[in-house]
């Protein structure tokens, strides 16, 4: 149907527009008629109209963080300014990573010695914590005398840890150049697997998967894998200082990728290093996020962004000691960030009077500690220890994995070493015994403290989207409202209506129902029996459903087109990790979404709400129900039995976005459920750590 305004009266045009609008209403009625719905229903996938929401929300937060930090750096004008900044970095890093544990006896033992031309390799085991064994190879030059400079070598994500070619190469190369080098297996790699099966292999996956599974769980008890891994490196330094071959005043640290991460963190937390050379890691947090690059748990230190710290600040903490940043032109760690970090550090070092003590080398190839980066490291270390800085890497001879093995059967667990999950389990149980029952008011105070004074808007802004008519929802109409909970963040709400409705929710009074989805309100409106029964049993009670940020209508499609939301290294993990770095854990953000939506519902006249929260939504739903006075009744479907159960499980499937760092130092979920007794809480089919029904 078409119409022209020219040549006719305004009255004729308005009449024709009215007819057109009436035709649209008739079409909608037809779509909902029996004839239309009798056709074979379409195959439906979850609605997801805001898949970039979390990405853009965090990019903006990161850019704000970045701009504020740069402005602070630009204010440094004098040597004393620079010195104060270095001290500030050291203080803030310590606040993020936590205090040192007790330095207990290392109990070192050499299990084998390999004599080679010009050097020897000692296969070494020591304890970084009581009962926590570390395996390493100590390369000692034999063709030079006196006390020698030394290097702690930290490994990246190699299955065989210290025996990988790149790490053997720099260790052997350093020894041939007159450096003692101790390269050790990281947690979850080489001889230090944490999740052994009957065949002495990892039953969850070596490296990244072990790091994520053990590291995410640690947050619950106030620990973090960043510092646990760094502490191993600090104890390796302790060991080198006991060796008569080593000059204790000339000990450096280097590593690549995950080892570049450790080199960076160790530079920030340990002032005994004389030099450092992180390879294939240093860029900036904002570059990683803009490029949709997830990073391991240990590469995302808790509260680091809340304390205004970026990668380069961990290096600044060691200033003005010599540091060279080793990058790669074709690396996924953005070389632009490495160049920018170097430029800012150069200015800092210049203010400190040591401009030549900061360097940058960019190799031409892809990610890895390849020969050009190794040679740049050799030259830098030699130059600053009085050696020959221009010699190329000598010819190397790779050892077999078996030759470098320190334990009889290839794994420290088989010698009785404790695992990270064991430490976490013991800590969780000790906290439970010490905590006792926690009062509702104490929980409210803690939640408000974590929300850091943020209060949801009383009358939040919202949009009304055009309806989708064939979603097979249980009511005639389900209209979508997009509520702005904070800048660049939205919560998606469906209002369910028994008649056609294309506007704001009608004024109500009395009770409304708010259902917080597990993964998708759109899907759960077709499949969740509890929700469907709630709608059917009380047809006069208004029902709203809610997808909080990061699920359902805003499930991220970033990091990898083939990566599931449930994947250990997927988008859910990446954004949850950023929340932890901002000291703003995802369950608290989502509770804030729920409280904002409750305020929105209140603007339409409702005096109380029955809050139903399912699965992943049950944790933020619990927190919001404790805090918001509009909630008078609570039903939690598939709630987690307890954070203690999660912290003490060998394996689990609840995501990082369901965890709050340090929560078990203060309360557990059963304390929250007890606090909701006054709101007639009902727990339906609780889930254990594996997201299956608890017995």
């Amino acid at each position: 149907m078409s119409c022209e305004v020219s040549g006719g009266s305004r009255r004729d045009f308005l009449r024709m527009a009215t007819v057109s609008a009436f035709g649209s209403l008739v079409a909608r009625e037809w779509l909902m008629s029996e004839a239309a719905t009798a056709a074979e229903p379409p195959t439906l996938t979850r609605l997801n109209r805001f898949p970039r929401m979390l990405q853009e929300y965090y990019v903006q937060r990161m850019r704000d963080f970045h701009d504020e930090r740069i402005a602070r750096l630009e204010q440094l004008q004098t040597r004393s300014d620079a010195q104060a900044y270095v001290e500030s970095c050291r203080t803030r890093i310590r606040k993020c990573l936590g205090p040192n544990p007790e330095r207990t006896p290392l109990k070192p033992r050499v299990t084998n010695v390999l004599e080679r031309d010009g050097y020897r390799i000692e296969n070494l085991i020591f304890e970084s914590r009581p009962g926590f064994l570390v395996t390493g190879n100590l390369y000692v030059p034999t063709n030079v005398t006196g006390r020698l400079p030394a290097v702690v070598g930290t490994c990246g994500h190699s299955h065989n840890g210290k025996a990988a070619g790149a790490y053997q190469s720099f260790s052997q190369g350093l020894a041939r150049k007159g450096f003692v080098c101790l390269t050790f297996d990281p947690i979850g790699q080489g001889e230090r697997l944490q999740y052994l099966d009957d065949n002495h292999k990892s039953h969850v996956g070596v490296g990244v998967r072990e790091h994520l599974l053990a590291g995410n769980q640690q947050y619950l008890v106030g620990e973090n894998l960043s510092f646990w891994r760094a502490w191993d490196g600090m104890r390796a330094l302790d060991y080198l200082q006991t060796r008569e071959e080593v000059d204790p005043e000339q000990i450096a640290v280097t590593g690549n990728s995950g080892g570049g991460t450790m080199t960076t963190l160790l530079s920030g937390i340990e002032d005994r290093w004389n030099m450092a050379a992180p390879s294939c890691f240093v860029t900036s947090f904002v570059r990683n996020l803009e490029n949709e690059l997830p990073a391991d748990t240990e590469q995302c230190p808790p509260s680091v962004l809340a304390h205004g710290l970026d990668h380069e600040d961990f290096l600044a903490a060691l200033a003005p000691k010599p540091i060279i940043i080793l990058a790669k032109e074709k690396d996924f760690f953005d070389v632009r960030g490495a160049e920018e970090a170097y430029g800012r550090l150069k200015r800092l070092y210049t203010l400190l009077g040591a401009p030549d003590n900061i360097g940058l080398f960019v190799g031409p190839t892809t990610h890895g500690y390849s020969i050009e980066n190794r040679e740049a490291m050799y030259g830098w270390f030699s130059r600053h220890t009085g050696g020959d800085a221009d010699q190329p890497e000598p010819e190397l001879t790779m050892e077999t994995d078996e030759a470098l093995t320190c334990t009889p059967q290839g794994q420290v667990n088989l010698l009785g070493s404790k695992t990270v999950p064991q430490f976490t389990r013991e800590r969780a149980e000790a906290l439970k015994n010490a905590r006792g029952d926690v009062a509702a008011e104490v929980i409210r105070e803690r939640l408000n403290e974590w929300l850091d004074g943020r209060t949801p808007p009383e009358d939040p802004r919202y949009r009304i989207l055009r309806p989708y008519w064939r979603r097979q929802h249980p009511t005639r109409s389900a209209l979508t409202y997009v509520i702005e909970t904070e800048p660049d963040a939205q919560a998606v709400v469906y209002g369910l209506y028994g008649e056609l409705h294309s506007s704001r929710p009608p004024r109500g009074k009395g009770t409304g129902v708010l259902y917080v989805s597990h993964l998708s309100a759109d899907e759960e409106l077709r499949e969740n029996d509890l929700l469907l029964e709630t709608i059917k049993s009380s047809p006069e009670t208004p029902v709203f459903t809610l997808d909080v940020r990061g699920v359902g209508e805003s499930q991220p499609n970033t990091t990898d087109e083939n990566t599931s939301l449930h994947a250990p290294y997927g988008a859910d993990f990446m954004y949850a990790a950023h929340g932890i770095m901002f000291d703003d854990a995802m369950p608290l953000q989502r509770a804030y979404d729920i409280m904002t939506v409750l305020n929105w519902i209140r603007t339409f006249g409702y005096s109380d709400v029955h809050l139903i929260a399912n699965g992943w939504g049950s944790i933020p739903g619990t927190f919001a129900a404790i805090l918001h006075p509009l909630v008078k009744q609570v039903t939690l479907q598939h709630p987690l039995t307890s954070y203690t159960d999660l912290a003490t499980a060998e394996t689990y499937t609840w995501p990082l976005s369901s965890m709050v760092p340090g929560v078990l130092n203060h309360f557990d979920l059963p304390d929250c459920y007890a606090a909701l007794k006054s709101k007639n809480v009902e727990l339906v089919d609780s889930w254990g750590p594996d997201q299956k029904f608890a017995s």
Side-chain angles (χ1 to χ4, degrees):
M1 181 177 182
S2 63
C3 58
E4 297 182 8
V5 177
S6 59
S9 69
R10 177 174 174 81
R11 181 182 300 170
D12 292 337
F13 170 73
L14 291 174
R15 183 183 300 115
M16 296 179 73
T18 301
V19 170
S20 176
F22 178 75
S24 176
L25 288 173
V26 170
R28 290 184 187 178
E29 287 284 2
W30 180 83
L31 283 171
M32 302 303 295
S33 70
E34 290 184 5
T37 56
E40 185 175 341
T43 300
L44 298 175
T45 57
R46 295 175 184 169
L47 282 178
N48 187 10
R49 285 170 277 187
F50 300 90
R52 306 288 303 176
M53 188 267 284
L54 267 185
Q55 172 69 11
E56 299 312 315
Y57 166 77
Y58 271 116
V59 164
Q60 189 56 56
R61 284 189 75 167
M62 288 294 297
R63 287 177 175 171
D64 291 343
F65 154 83
H66 181 75
D67 291 347
E68 291 170 6
R69 184 177 166 277
I70 297 306
R72 201 161 56 245
L73 284 170
E74 289 175 349
Q75 294 175 1
L76 306 180
Q77 299 297 327
T78 66
R79 185 187 187 101
S80 62
D81 290 344
Q83 290 171 333
Y85 188 79
V86 169
E87 288 300 322
S88 169
C89 288
R90 293 170 181 168
T91 299
R92 288 179 284 148
I93 289 166
R94 182 54 73 178
K95 287 180 179 178
C96 293
L97 297 183
N100 289 349
E102 180 186 358
R103 268 190 164 82
T104 51
L106 289 165
K107 301 180 181 178
R109 59 188 185 273
V110 174
T111 60
N112 193 31
V113 178
L114 307 175
E115 297 290 348
R116 299 294 183 255
D117 183 18
Y119 66 97
R120 70 176 180 271
I121 305 172
E122 298 180 10
N123 295 344
L124 172 71
I125 303 174
F126 64 88
E127 293 188 11
S128 63
R129 299 168 186 260
F132 194 51
L133 302 184
V134 180
T135 44
N137 298 134
L138 182 71
Y139 293 72
V140 183
T142 56
N143 55 1
V144 290
T145 59
R147 287 187 174 267
L148 304 175
V151 177
V152 169
T154 62
C155 299
H157 291 95
S158 54
H159 277 51
N160 53 348
K162 63 190 180 306
Y167 309 121
Q168 282 198 57
S169 294
F170 76 63
S171 302
Q172 190 180 139
L174 284 164
R176 289 176 177 273
K177 287 177 173 290
F179 292 82
V180 177
C181 181
L182 173 55
T183 300
F184 63 94
D185 282 326
I187 293 168
Q189 297 169 235
E191 297 181 72
R192 300 183 69 201
L193 301 183
Q194 305 294 296
Y195 298 90
L196 284 189
D197 62 17
D198 292 339
N199 296 314
H200 305 167
K201 306 293 184 183
S202 175
H203 64 82
V204 302
V206 177
V208 169
R209 287 180 178 267
E210 288 218 355
H211 297 171
L212 297 182
L213 195 64
N216 293 352
Q217 191 180 43
Q218 282 187 300
Y219 285 129
L220 295 170
V221 298
E223 299 283 357
N224 66 87
L225 194 63
S226 301
F227 187 51
W228 271 67
R229 286 197 54 191
W231 183 246
D232 287 345
M234 295 166 74
R235 299 313 314 272
L237 170 56
D238 289 342
Y239 176 73
L240 284 177
Q241 289 190 324
T242 71
R243 296 288 300 220
E244 62 181 12
E245 303 95 336
V246 171
D247 179 352
E249 301 301 319
Q250 292 199 91
I251 301 180
V253 60
T254 191
N256 184 78
S257 190
T261 305
M262 283 301 107
T263 301
T264 303
L265 296 182
L266 284 164
S267 297
I269 203 167
E270 174 59 79
D271 62 6
R272 290 177 293 167
W273 305 113
N274 183 57
M275 298 176 294
S279 177
C280 290
F281 171 71
V282 174
T283 176
S284 67
F285 287 117
V286 69
R287 288 294 185 193
N288 282 348
L289 180 67
E290 287 176 337
N291 299 346
E292 301 178 13
L293 180 68
D296 271 23
T297 299
E298 72 270 17
Q299 294 174 318
C300 304
S303 305
V304 65
L305 300 175
H307 284 95
L309 295 164
D310 211 333
H311 289 183
E312 72 210 49
D313 290 312
F314 287 82
L315 305 181
L318 200 60
K321 294 179 180 178
I323 296 174
I324 185 169
I325 298 170
L326 305 171
K328 285 293 192 73
E329 184 63 41
K330 299 177 182 179
D331 197 358
F332 47 79
F333 285 118
D334 195 332
V335 69
R336 295 176 298 168
E339 292 171 340
E340 292 157 357
Y342 166 73
R344 290 187 288 268
L345 285 168
K346 184 76 169 181
R347 181 172 179 271
L348 181 72
Y349 270 68
T350 300
L351 289 173
L352 292 170
D356 295 334
N357 277 5
I358 187 69
L360 171 68
F361 176 82
V362 180
T365 57
T366 58
H367 187 80
Y369 215 156
S370 52
I371 187 169
E372 65 272 17
N373 280 38
R374 297 198 301 269
E375 289 186 337
M377 176 267 291
Y378 300 145
W380 185 263
F381 285 174
S382 296
R383 184 176 306 115
H384 289 280
T385 55
D388 188 341
D390 297 323
Q391 288 185 352
E393 182 176 77
E395 184 177 348
L396 307 175
T397 303
M398 294 296 101
E399 305 286 349
T400 65
D401 288 14
E402 290 74 20
L404 299 177
T405 298
C406 306
T407 58
Q409 295 177 277
Q411 288 297 325
V412 294
N413 285 2
L414 302 176
L415 289 179
S417 179
K418 294 175 69 173
T419 66
V420 172
Q422 281 180 286
F423 280 101
T424 301
R425 180 161 56 250
E426 291 173 3
R427 176 68 175 159
E429 290 170 347
L431 289 172
K432 179 180 179 180
N433 292 334
R435 204 172 46 239
D437 295 330
V438 183
E441 186 54 39
V442 172
I443 297 172
R444 277 192 289 271
E445 290 176 0
R446 179 61 58 181
L447 290 172
N448 281 317
E449 179 182 329
W450 284 337
L451 286 169
D452 197 25
R454 289 180 298 175
T455 56
E458 291 295 327
D459 189 8
R461 298 172 63 178
Y462 67 99
R463 309 176 223 169
I464 306 173
L465 303 189
R466 294 304 86 206
Y468 286 6
W469 295 104
R470 300 190 66 185
R471 299 304 299 174
Q472 301 172 25
H473 292 158
T475 56
R476 191 175 192 186
S477 177
L479 194 61
T480 304
Y481 304 99
V482 182
I483 290 90
E484 297 184 19
T485 62
E486 57 180 318
D488 302 303
Q490 299 90 32
V492 179
V493 174
Y494 302 151
L496 302 175
Y497 304 111
E499 58 185 9
L500 291 177
H501 194 92
S502 300
S503 185
R504 65 188 179 187
R507 296 289 298 177
K509 59 182 179 179
T511 301
V513 172
L514 176 62
Y515 172 87
V516 182
S517 71
H518 168 47
L519 293 175
S520 166
D522 170 53
E523 184 173 79
E524 288 157 44
L525 275 166
R526 294 186 293 273
E527 299 178 0
N528 186 291
D529 290 340
L530 174 64
L531 175 58
L532 295 173
E533 180 59 30
T534 299
I535 295 169
K536 180 180 178 181
S537 63
S538 302
E540 301 304 316
T541 302
V543 175
F544 301 92
T545 68
L546 167 61
D547 285 337
V548 293
R549 66 185 75 188
V551 298
E553 290 266 31
S554 61
Q555 177 179 318
N557 63 359
T558 49
T559 70
D560 185 338
E561 64 181 349
N562 298 313
T563 297
S564 162
L565 185 70
H566 305 271
Y569 218 44
D572 181 84
F573 163 78
M574 182 172 75
Y575 298 118
H578 278 79
I580 288 172
M581 289 194 289
F582 273 116
D583 208 9
D584 186 20
M586 190 65 77
L588 302 171
Q589 294 183 36
R590 290 172 170 171
Y592 186 86
D593 290 342
I594 297 169
M595 290 190 292
T596 301
V597 171
L598 287 166
N599 282 354
W600 177 77
I601 290 173
R602 186 163 53 190
T603 65
F604 300 106
Y606 295 95
S607 59
D608 59 271
V609 163
H610 176 192
L611 181 69
I612 305 173
N614 181 20
W616 288 14
S618 67
I619 291 175
T622 296
F623 296 161
I626 288 172
L627 291 174
H628 205 288
L630 192 65
V631 177
K632 297 297 196 290
Q633 183 179 351
V634 182
T635 301
L636 301 175
Q637 183 184 26
H638 308 318
L640 175 60
T641 51
S642 74
Y643 276 133
T644 297
D645 287 347
L646 192 56
T648 56
E650 171 76 2
T651 59
Y652 57 91
T653 59
W654 284 82
L656 182 59
S657 63
S658 292
M659 302 183 199
V660 179
V663 62
L664 290 176
N665 289 276
H666 306 286
F667 61 82
D668 200 351
L669 290 172
D671 299 312
C672 297
Y673 304 150
L676 289 172
K677 284 183 179 179
S678 62
K679 297 189 177 186
N680 301 311
V681 67
E682 180 183 6
L683 308 183
V684 179
D685 297 331
S686 296
W687 277 349
D690 57 359
Q691 294 186 84
K692 295 179 181 178
F693 295 133
S695 56

